[in-house]
Amino acid sequence: MGEIIDNLRSGHVHSLTNKEFSILFKQILISLEEVELKDAHLVKAFENARNQKDILDQIRTATYKHPITKEIDKLVKSRSELLKTIRHYAEGGITSQDENKMMAGNKVLFWLNAQKQYILRPGPNSHTHAVNSLVATKGDVLNEGVDEALETTGAAEYFAKAVTQTAQINRMIVQRKNDIASMRLEVKKKRKIALAGFKIFFSALEDLANMPGESQEEAVRLSKDVREFLDDSRAIRLSRLAAKRNRKESENSDQELDDVLNAGAPEASGDVIDREGDFSITKES
């Protein structure tokens, strides 16, 4: 008895990208297009696999990009400018000769400074946190009169817009998250259907390759060809895992080096300059 063919396993394909998944199975189809299969059961199984071609094309071109992302980006950028404008008006109040505007500017800046680390940090999440926290802390004892101060400095309408845009951004992000989850689920179903069709073909090919008869030799040869495609795709997956592991190890090594170099380093003293330029931070004496 010859070699037992039982290694047309395809469990690793779940880790392939949509493009890699599609290419793998289309390569197998192309390699068998000119082969004249003699066994009726194998022919039927191959036809079933070939019927997955349209699904494979859909999987390959699947994208999780969402059209609403551009609108979210615009709102995020606009809100960032609004936060800068609020600060600008508050600083303008401080330099004013009008005592009421000066006090109002100080109050607004004190209120903003509590969220400074989030306002200075770019990105939708940090600014959402900043705006929500600013709304929540307006009623605190130390921030009493902030609403009036915003009106006095002329920044009230800009803060109102920032609050409105934050609500819009949150709704859009939730919508995008739900839509993308549905898109991913749909592609996952298609991958499952396509893989099931090829597994039937692989099983039929293995059975024929291990069964003595006139078609056995051809089935063994075809099985080895299919196995090469599967092995190649498995190598792609392993290469990606190795690269990810090496990148992680490199990051850990860099962090360990930083820890060694920073160990025992004297603390900085004197003025600390905020490089973002939005707020100046001076060490208290």
Side-chain angles (χ1 to χ4, degrees), residues 189-206:
K189 290 178 180 177
K190 290 178 180 179
R191 287 175 62 130
K192 186 176 182 180
I193 291 171
L195 180 57
F198 278 89
K199 279 187 173 181
I200 292 172
F201 173 64
F202 294 163
S203 178
L205 194 56
E206 284 184 350

Side-chain angles (χ1 to χ4, degrees), residues 92-106 152-153:
I94 291 177
T95 60
S96 173
Q97 298 300 316
D98 186 316
E99 186 176 352
N100 288 334
K101 283 190 175 182
M102 182 178 68
M103 293 178 63
N106 276 315
T152 301
T153 58

Side-chain angles (χ1 to χ4, degrees), residues 87-154:
R87 172 182 168 274
H88 174 74
Y89 273 80
E91 290 181 336
I94 291 177
T95 60
S96 173
Q97 298 300 316
D98 186 316
E99 186 176 352
N100 288 334
K101 283 190 175 182
M102 182 178 68
M103 293 178 63
N106 276 315
K107 181 170 285 294
V108 172
L109 278 183
F110 177 81
W111 172 61
L112 290 174
N113 278 337
Q115 305 305 322
K116 177 175 56 185
Q117 62 176 316
Y118 299 105
I119 294 176
L120 291 178
R121 189 183 306 160
N125 293 334
S126 57
H127 284 179
T128 292
H129 177 86
V131 171
N132 289 339
S133 296
L134 289 171
V135 171
T137 57
K138 279 202 300 180
D140 291 354
V141 174
L142 294 177
N143 294 322
E144 186 177 349
V146 163
D147 282 324
E148 292 80 1
L150 285 168
E151 290 286 353
T152 301
T153 58

Side-chain angles (χ1 to χ4, degrees), residues 12-13 15-16 232-242:
H12 69 283
V13 302
S15 300
L16 299 179
D232 287 345
S233 65
R234 190 176 289 107
I236 291 174
R237 171 180 173 271
L238 292 175
S239 176
R240 182 161 53 242
L241 289 175

Side-chain angles (χ1 to χ4, degrees), residues 5-267:
I5 303 296
D6 63 351
N7 52 8
L8 299 184
R9 300 184 183 90
S10 53
H12 69 283
V13 302
H14 296 293
S15 300
L16 299 179
T17 66
N18 290 333
K19 184 177 180 180
E20 292 166 352
F21 181 96
S22 177
I23 289 176
L24 165 63
F25 291 113
K26 290 193 75 172
Q27 283 179 329
I28 292 175
L29 289 179
I30 292 171
S31 71
L32 295 171
E33 281 295 339
E34 303 301 323
V35 177
E36 185 178 350
L37 304 175
K38 299 180 178 63
D39 182 81
H41 178 61
L42 187 61
V43 169
K44 188 174 182 180
F46 178 67
E47 284 300 319
N48 182 53
R50 187 159 54 185
N51 287 340
Q52 311 307 318
K53 188 176 180 179
D54 288 344
I55 292 180
L56 291 174
D57 289 336
Q58 294 170 23
I59 292 171
R60 179 172 183 173
T61 58
T63 176
Y64 303 123
K65 293 181 179 179
H66 200 291
I68 206 173
T69 298
K70 287 186 177 181
E71 186 61 29
I72 292 174
D73 291 342
K74 288 180 182 178
L75 286 171
V76 167
K77 184 176 180 180
S78 174
R79 181 178 60 181
S80 178
E81 292 302 315
L82 288 171
L83 291 172
K84 291 179 181 179
T85 300
I86 294 168
R87 172 182 168 274
H88 174 74
Y89 273 80
E91 290 181 336
I94 291 177
T95 60
S96 173
Q97 298 300 316
D98 186 316
E99 186 176 352
N100 288 334
K101 283 190 175 182
M102 182 178 68
M103 293 178 63
N106 276 315
K107 181 170 285 294
V108 172
L109 278 183
F110 177 81
W111 172 61
L112 290 174
N113 278 337
Q115 305 305 322
K116 177 175 56 185
Q117 62 176 316
Y118 299 105
I119 294 176
L120 291 178
R121 189 183 306 160
N125 293 334
S126 57
H127 284 179
T128 292
H129 177 86
V131 171
N132 289 339
S133 296
L134 289 171
V135 171
T137 57
K138 279 202 300 180
D140 291 354
V141 174
L142 294 177
N143 294 322
E144 186 177 349
V146 163
D147 282 324
E148 292 80 1
L150 285 168
E151 290 286 353
T152 301
T153 58
E157 64 174 296
Y158 299 105
F159 183 65
K161 287 181 181 179
V163 172
T164 299
Q165 289 184 355
T166 295
Q168 290 177 305
I169 291 168
N170 289 343
R171 286 195 299 271
M172 289 181 176
I173 287 177
V174 170
Q175 178 187 339
R176 181 178 63 180
K177 180 180 179 181
N178 291 338
D179 289 347
I180 290 177
S182 297
M183 292 157 63
R184 289 184 181 278
L185 181 61
E186 184 64 25
V187 172
K188 184 177 181 180
K189 290 178 180 177
K190 290 178 180 179
R191 287 175 62 130
K192 186 176 182 180
I193 291 171
L195 180 57
F198 278 89
K199 279 187 173 181
I200 292 172
F201 173 64
F202 294 163
S203 178
L205 194 56
E206 284 184 350
D207 289 344
L208 193 61
N210 292 315
M211 187 181 302
E214 60 177 330
S215 298
Q216 184 181 29
E217 184 177 345
E218 180 184 51
V220 169
R221 179 178 58 78
L222 293 177
S223 295
K224 290 180 177 180
D225 290 342
V226 169
R227 183 173 63 191
E228 284 187 12
F229 287 116
L230 291 172
D231 288 344
D232 287 345
S233 65
R234 190 176 289 107
I236 291 174
R237 171 180 173 271
L238 292 175
S239 176
R240 182 161 53 242
L241 289 175
K244 183 178 180 181
R245 183 170 58 251
N246 292 338
R247 187 162 55 248
K248 183 66 176 177
E249 290 175 353
S250 177
E251 290 173 356
N252 291 339
S253 296
D254 290 343
Q255 184 59 52
E256 290 174 2
L257 179 59
D258 288 342
D259 292 343
V260 171
L261 294 175
N262 292 330
E267 295 184 1

